Amino acid sequence: MKEIRFHGRGGQGVVKAAHLIVDSAVQEGKFAHFIPFFGVERKGSPVFGYGRISDTKIDLKTQVYKPHCVIVMDDTLLDAIPVFDGLREDSIFIINTTKTLEELNLPDTVKKAAIVDASKIAIETIGRNIPNTAMLGAFVKATGWVSLEHVMENTDLLFGGKNPVATQTAYDEVKIYDLQGGK
Amino acid sequence: MGKTIAITGNTAAALGAALSRPKVIAAYPITPQSSVVEYAASMIADGQLQSSMVQVESEHSAMSVVQGAAMAGARTFTATSAQGLALMYEPYFRMSTLRLPMVMAVAGREMTAPETIWSGHQDTISVRDAGWIQIYVEDNQEALDMIIQGYKLAEDKDVLIPVNICYDGFYISHLYEGVNIPEQSEVDAYLPPYKQEHVILDPEKPMAVDPMTPGNLVMKYRKSHLDAMQRAFAVLDKADKDFGDQFGRYYGGTVEEYKCDDADIVLITMGAMSGTAKAAVDEKRAQGVKVGLLKIRMMRPFPKQQVAKVLADKKAYAVIDKNVVFGWNTGAVYMETQAALNQLGYKIASLPVIGGLGGADISLEHMTNVIEKLEKMNKGDDEQECYWLED
């Protein structure tokens, strides 16, 4: 079972992105779920969510404390929320940012980093700074836990428009860093 | 055999209701239940569901509307949470004591104050003695399936009592996971249209509904209601068996036993936390600990015989309550379990546990901590004070 923790802000589409991952995993015959945790429901406030993907039925109904993967949709959260808490030794970290790997100063537990300017891609494709569908492209490239084909298909079904283009563009543009041997 | 798609618990509840073909739906939105009402309304607007949807200004009105419709013989549905249920209390009590069958979904939420919108069982636990049948579920599939089964149970001529299907707010209402959606034809085969016979409000045959009633008759009605409650155990068992035969999913009726057969110690849970408890049981079993889980599915009426049967030869048990009983420093399921065992003559070491209030997470670690306390009790440690699952 793979555990994912999502961080974002209200209005960025964190919940819908997570739903699209679950949709794709279920479509592929896997078990998957997502539990959102809202603070106050308003635009801009920090949003958390917990996802799981497994080959067997998932009984757990709890938050994710030791994620295999953390997705951060807004880099201003780095100073506000403990996004690195509980990261497993071999975790994957995916972030929407204009910062470089060096500027991010990631902890040693991150063994793979995926850096993408999803906000720029979103503005250039769908015309609004809603980075969720672009982040899905980065997620698929970094993890390989669901297929790009299914994610794009489901993104098209749910949102249509240029959203699948945002997903494809981020998939192509995301910078993946293998940090197994240290930074 | 239907198709499997990912949906939220609220969507599952709305779909379960829609597949049961209610003639009247009246509901007022409240977090975390709101999307049940929205989804039901959109299904009606899109022509997928042939029901009358009545827009109401409060939960009190919602229950009053479906009460009138039920009195006229219609199958009805509503849903609520917490403060909404509290506002609904007056017609809620009358719905059961008029012996009108229906199903109401409750996305369980903590009661205010302090202000909270998050998960808890306190709302439905607080009204457990208002004459309704209460069933608690563990995931989205069970929520959908039990709404369908709920009608079968409520409308049975031996029962005629409304049913609450209780699912944890957020942990199920907003949980997004794969659910098998049964075919309408299969549901129709399991749940035929409802034909009410014991009472029909009909303008052609006027009658006074619920006139002032003397105490000796109130006594009769209450006793008859309580007797019907006791018949609900067997009716649920049959509804579960028939459902399993039709859809391939059996839930165990009043309780679900998980690895209890050879267990020395047992966790008792209700609702969403039961899934986490199963994972904890698996983890501890892998370490050689003989632990099992007893999931209470039916809280009202309380299945004392079934609970006692599972616990009879056990060394110790813990009950994890997502609610409190003020005045006892424990939760309600613990109190009920103790009452059942005492009445049936069993004396077993026990640990009351309280957790998950107001959306506080009940983690896997919490569950394994409880099991470790039970292991110590099994080795002779004294019974414990109520254990609160704090950080």
Side-chain angles (χ1 to χ4, degrees), chain B residues 276-289:
Chain B
T276 310
K278 285 175 184 171
V281 165
D282 290 346
E283 194 176 303
K284 281 289 175 184
R285 283 247 166 203
Q287 297 165 15
V289 180

Side-chain angles (χ1 to χ4, degrees), chain B residues 258-318:
Chain B
Y258 185 73
K259 304 188 179 176
C260 284
D261 279 353
D262 66 337
D264 295 323
I265 53 178
V266 173
L267 289 178
I268 300 179
T269 59
M270 200 163 73
M273 71 167 100
S274 308
T276 310
K278 285 175 184 171
V281 165
D282 290 346
E283 194 176 303
K284 281 289 175 184
R285 283 247 166 203
Q287 297 165 15
V289 180
K290 285 188 173 174
V291 56
L293 168 74
L294 175 62
K295 177 175 113 181
I296 305 293
R297 301 186 70 244
M298 191 180 227
M299 175 64 181
R300 272 294 175 269
F302 192 78
K304 65 179 181 186
Q305 299 286 358
Q306 290 83 346
V307 168
K309 189 168 144 253
V310 173
L311 296 179
D313 61 345
K314 307 307 180 201
K315 303 293 195 305
Y317 69 88

Side-chain angles (χ1 to χ4, degrees), chain A residues 15 18-20 22-23 26-27 32-41 57-66, chain B residues 4-6 8 31 117-118 138-139 170-171 174-178 258 272 275-276 278-279 359 361-364:
Chain A
V15 172
H19 283 189
L20 288 164
V22 174
D23 286 337
V26 168
Q27 195 176 352
H33 80 197
F34 174 71
I35 308 175
F37 275 77
F38 305 106
V40 284
E41 291 184 66
K57 187 170 181 289
I58 302 166
D59 289 324
L60 287 169
K61 303 279 184 300
T62 73
Q63 299 179 16
V64 167
Y65 294 93
K66 293 175 186 167
Chain B
T4 297
I5 55 167
T8 66
T31 302
I117 55 165
W118 291 295
E138 179 189 325
D139 57 27
F170 293 100
Y171 284 88
H174 288 61
L175 169 70
Y176 192 76
E177 64 176 1
Y258 185 73
T276 310
K278 285 175 184 171
D361 198 43
I362 301 178
S363 67
L364 185 63

Side-chain angles (χ1 to χ4, degrees), chain A residues 126-144:
Chain A
I126 61 173
R128 293 175 71 187
N129 183 7
I130 301 176
N132 63 343
T133 48
M135 287 299 280
L136 286 174
F139 171 80
V140 171
K141 183 82 158 273
T143 65

